[in-house]
Amino acid sequence: MGLFSNKYNTPFDNEDMRRVRHVGKPKATHVKATGYMTTRSALFLGYTLISLCMLYSLGNTAVWWPATCAAAVLLFWSVTLRFFIQPKLSALSFILCALFFTAAAEVSYRLGWCSAAAGAMFIPMAIGMMSLSRFKSDDEDKFSVPVFGDEVFKPFLLAVSASTVGFFASGLFEKRYIFTILLAAIAFLIVFSWALSKISGTPRLITSRSLTEFWDIPVADYQEVKRFVFSRAAFSIVMVIIAGMLFALWVIVGGSYARMISVPSAALVQTILSVALLSFSRSGIRKSIFGLRYFVSETAIGAQFLAIFFLAHQERVPAVFTILIAIVLAILTDTMLTGLLSVIRRRLIFVTKSRFLDGLPFYLVLTSLICMIVETCLYSLTGL
């Protein structure tokens, strides 16, 4: 009897009949689910943060202006385009947002509130607003209008708070650079996420679940290398066309008028070219993360990078050598960033990382490092 009175399982017991050892009374514990952002709101947060950090690094810009201008345009978008722009028209949403920001920046420039290049700096935020119109909410089959509170206002408030902290933190250094402001802003997001998780007792992460997953990484083969090379070549062609368009604009129209239409013109031309390339590309190239999946966003940022070079020379047409340098820098930066993200995403599968750094914060750190390299290359260029 003693054998059967002991509350443990012997190796001879049948698996279905084994007696389970009980220690005290069983208790039911409630495990709180981790709080994630939706993918579209996380992208909107990241792009908005990049825009605000770039604006805070500009000279001749009032401290209060970047957040105020961004809030005004975002509010106008929220009560208009947010309700009827569908995913298929997301490129149109980007163009309209670029026009809104250009108009607001031009009026503010005439009032002396901002720099002439401020309109181009808002293009990443316009891409983030396009993301809100492009992507479905996570785990939903049908597209729904982005929720203003959780998917628009809260990410924008976080971006404003983080960029403001980054702006004042970067004041400790000799000069404010984009990468220092961005790194300080990312540190704020990580600390805020950790503190909010401790207070609420539930992990609250400043990222979406899909940005922390790697199931969509294709097998490394020769076809993926070909897709990567093809997409980078297509990016180079678009940059050359945009630079030629801006040069013709500066020669024909003149600096003062070209300044007002350079940003929306670059946005319009690059969108048309990008959509055309996507339409005539093979499905494998178009859908691959190493191919053209984010091509419109890449060319939008590259086009405005070129526009900044022209905006820095309002009184005269930029030298051909300066334009060539801008084209080369845009192509090399795009190749470096996309290649680094492709490699890093594959390597992160085998790495243990903090959940507060995973996803969006990590990608922003990589972006800040690229910004540091680009800014280092621009040190010797006059007018920037």
Side-chain angles (χ1 to χ4, degrees), residues 51 55 58 65 97-98 101-106 114-124 126 263-264 304 308 311:
S51 275
L55 286 162
L58 286 177
W65 183 81
C97 290
F101 281 119
T102 302
E106 179 62 26
C114 67
S115 172
M121 299 297 188
F122 272 120
I123 291 300
V263 173
Q304 300 310 318
I308 291 174
L311 291 171

Side-chain angles (χ1 to χ4, degrees), residues 94-95 98 123 242 262-272 303-304:
F94 165 71
I95 295 174
I123 291 300
I242 293 296
S262 60
V263 173
S265 298
L268 178 61
V269 172
Q270 68 82 21
T271 302
I272 294 174
Q304 300 310 318

Side-chain angles (χ1 to χ4, degrees), residues 48-349:
T48 302
L49 182 62
I50 292 173
S51 275
L52 293 177
C53 289
M54 290 194 299
L55 286 162
Y56 278 128
S57 67
L58 286 177
N60 302 322
T61 301
V63 176
W64 54 268
W65 183 81
T68 304
C69 182
V73 174
L74 183 64
L75 180 62
F76 180 76
W77 173 88
S78 298
V79 298
T80 54
L81 301 183
R82 181 169 66 99
F83 294 102
F84 62 86
I85 293 293
Q86 298 297 315
K88 293 183 179 180
L89 299 176
S90 58
L92 176 62
S93 174
F94 165 71
I95 295 174
L96 292 175
C97 290
L99 287 173
F100 296 158
F101 281 119
T102 302
E106 179 62 26
V107 173
S108 301
Y109 173 73
R110 292 175 180 271
L111 294 174
W113 294 341
C114 67
S115 172
M121 299 297 188
F122 272 120
I123 291 300
M125 184 175 176
I127 298 174
M129 294 163 72
M130 178 183 68
S131 300
L132 291 172
S133 302
R134 175 178 175 81
F135 296 101
K136 302 174 183 177
S137 185
D138 295 352
D139 301 324
E140 290 188 8
D141 296 330
K142 295 182 179 180
F143 178 80
S144 59
V145 175
V147 181
F148 179 78
D150 291 336
E151 295 186 306
V152 180
F153 178 72
K154 289 181 180 179
F156 177 73
L157 188 62
L158 270 176
V160 171
S161 302
S163 60
T164 303
V165 171
F167 169 73
F168 286 108
S170 65
L172 300 174
F173 302 95
E174 181 181 358
K175 184 179 179 181
R176 286 189 170 93
Y177 294 105
I178 298 173
F179 78 93
T180 57
I181 300 176
L182 188 55
L183 281 175
I186 299 166
F188 170 83
L189 290 179
I190 295 173
V191 173
F192 176 81
S193 176
W194 174 83
L196 185 61
S197 301
K198 290 295 183 181
I199 294 173
S200 63
T202 304
R204 300 290 182 181
L205 306 182
I206 310 297
T207 185
S208 68
R209 186 186 299 274
S210 64
L211 292 178
T212 64
E213 296 175 344
F214 305 97
W215 58 267
D216 59 341
I217 296 182
V219 178
D221 58 9
Y222 181 66
Q223 292 299 323
E224 289 299 334
V225 177
K226 288 176 61 178
R227 294 185 181 107
F228 180 82
V229 173
F230 175 84
S231 58
R232 303 288 72 77
F235 179 87
S236 302
I237 294 173
V238 173
M239 291 301 101
V240 171
I241 295 175
I242 293 296
M245 183 272 295
L246 290 172
F247 182 79
L249 195 66
W250 241 252
V251 172
I252 298 173
V253 179
S256 58
Y257 292 103
R259 184 197 70 243
M260 295 185 288
I261 60 177
S262 60
V263 173
S265 298
L268 178 61
V269 172
Q270 68 82 21
T271 302
I272 294 174
L273 293 174
S274 300
V275 172
L277 285 170
L278 290 173
S279 301
F280 292 102
S281 299
R282 296 179 180 179
S283 177
I285 298 177
R286 187 168 58 249
K287 296 181 180 180
S288 172
I289 62 173
F290 299 147
L292 301 177
R293 180 183 294 186
Y294 307 107
F295 194 65
V296 175
S297 300
E298 295 174 35
T299 54
I301 295 176
Q304 300 310 318
F305 177 76
L306 297 179
I308 291 174
F309 276 78
F310 285 85
L311 291 171
H313 301 80
Q314 294 186 57
E315 304 300 329
R316 64 186 188 280
V317 180
V320 176
F321 180 71
T322 302
I323 299 174
L324 292 176
I325 291 177
I327 295 174
V328 171
L329 277 177
I331 295 172
L332 291 180
T333 302
D334 174 73
T335 304
M336 186 186 310
L337 182 58
T338 53
L340 182 61
L341 289 175
S342 301
V343 174
I344 287 294
R345 287 197 65 188
R346 189 177 297 279
R347 295 296 301 169
L348 284 178
I349 301 175

